Amino acid sequence: MVRCVSQWLKTGWWLAAALVLNTPLFSQGVSTTVGGLTTTPTRVGPSSVFWNPASLGPTRGTVIDTNLSLVGGWLIYDREGKDPQTDQGFDSSEIRVIAPNPYLSFASDFGFSDWKFGYSSYFPTGGFANYPSKGSQRYELIQGLYIPWNHQFTIAYSPNSDWSLGAGFIYSLGFFKAKFDIDMAKILSQITDGATVPKESASLNSHTRIPLSTAHGFTGNFGILYRPNVQWSV
């Protein structure tokens, strides 16, 4: 399954378009995002805490940041070798998918002048696929899902307007499921005293499923933000 997931991720070309709620109650405008997270390292606010928790430091008052990204993918699977049934090269398998990717964060100083506190819920990565059940990829993957759901709690300290220190605790809830075929010819050839068994015959396919499963993970991050106030005069 490691090679399966690796192939699955390597062949995906992902595009995202962010729709950001932009009102005084919400955050600082539209920016390019990955999994709801800004990809601009210098941006500050609760949407950047995954990359640098100290970016929460310049926050003033209470900020609610939310967006919804539409994530689409075009996945192509190319299998090397020849089909034992036709003695021809394998056909490529491809799918196109699109899915929503929400993001929500909350940050506040709770009346403190130097301390900031935040919570963020986001999906930093992931993928899913639904290939043809008889495609050349069927022994690697037919259906699959891998999605980590992160919950991050962040605290930041800003002694002045230039410097901020931040630390985050992240709880990740992962979802995974898969379906693929197994060619029973390899097993039958071992118990039939060398008798010829047709490889990859439809009558000898066995369907294997990994039902929707969850896993729990914990991690954290730490960061420093320095934003000097430089003024020039001529």
Side-chain angles (χ1 to χ4, degrees), residues 137-202:
Q137 85 305 317
R138 63 189 180 277
Y139 299 111
E140 298 275 5
L141 183 70
I142 297 176
Q143 295 178 353
L145 171 72
Y146 165 67
I147 298 177
W149 182 15
N150 282 10
H151 302 268
Q152 179 169 341
F153 301 88
T154 306
I155 183 171
Y157 173 69
S158 299
N160 54 54
S161 59
D162 295 341
W163 289 93
S164 297
L165 305 176
F169 171 78
I170 301 174
Y171 163 65
S172 184
L173 175 61
F175 300 91
F176 180 83
K177 72 174 182 178
K179 175 185 176 182
F180 54 94
D181 280 354
I182 294 178
D183 184 13
M184 298 300 295
K186 296 179 180 179
I187 299 176
L188 292 177
S189 62
Q190 297 177 0
I191 60 177
T192 55
D193 296 327
T196 301
V197 179
K199 295 181 179 181
E200 300 189 12
S201 172

Side-chain angles (χ1 to χ4, degrees), residues 229-234:
N229 184 11
V230 179
Q231 298 182 359
W232 298 87
S233 63
V234 179

Side-chain angles (χ1 to χ4, degrees), residues 16-205:
L19 304 176
V20 183
L21 291 175
N22 185 24
T23 69
L25 178 63
F26 292 84
S27 69
Q28 307 152 2
V30 180
S31 68
T32 305
T33 61
V34 175
L37 305 170
T38 176
T39 57
T40 305
T42 58
R43 185 182 176 189
V44 297
S47 63
S48 298
V49 295
F50 176 77
W51 310 108
N52 184 0
S55 63
L56 196 65
T59 301
R60 297 292 181 266
T62 298
V63 177
I64 298 175
D65 188 1
T66 183
N67 73 45
L68 177 64
S69 301
L70 296 179
V71 182
W74 176 27
L75 288 75
I76 304 174
Y77 183 98
D78 288 317
R79 183 177 174 184
E80 297 179 352
K82 294 184 178 182
D83 188 334
Q85 302 298 315
T86 63
D87 199 33
Q88 302 293 323
F90 290 101
D91 294 331
S92 297
S93 299
E94 65 178 70
I95 58 172
R96 292 174 173 84
V97 295
I98 188 169
N101 187 0
Y103 170 83
L104 175 67
S105 66
F106 168 85
S108 179
D109 56 19
F110 292 106
F112 293 93
S113 60
D114 299 334
W115 293 92
K116 314 300 186 303
F117 307 88
Y119 164 76
S120 300
S121 174
Y122 55 88
F123 300 88
T125 183
F128 62 96
N130 187 10
Y131 281 104
S133 60
K134 296 182 180 180
S136 60
Q137 85 305 317
R138 63 189 180 277
Y139 299 111
E140 298 275 5
L141 183 70
I142 297 176
Q143 295 178 353
L145 171 72
Y146 165 67
I147 298 177
W149 182 15
N150 282 10
H151 302 268
Q152 179 169 341
F153 301 88
T154 306
I155 183 171
Y157 173 69
S158 299
N160 54 54
S161 59
D162 295 341
W163 289 93
S164 297
L165 305 176
F169 171 78
I170 301 174
Y171 163 65
S172 184
L173 175 61
F175 300 91
F176 180 83
K177 72 174 182 178
K179 175 185 176 182
F180 54 94
D181 280 354
I182 294 178
D183 184 13
M184 298 300 295
K186 296 179 180 179
I187 299 176
L188 292 177
S189 62
Q190 297 177 0
I191 60 177
T192 55
D193 296 327
T196 301
V197 179
K199 295 181 179 181
E200 300 189 12
S201 172
S203 61
L204 297 177
N205 280 351

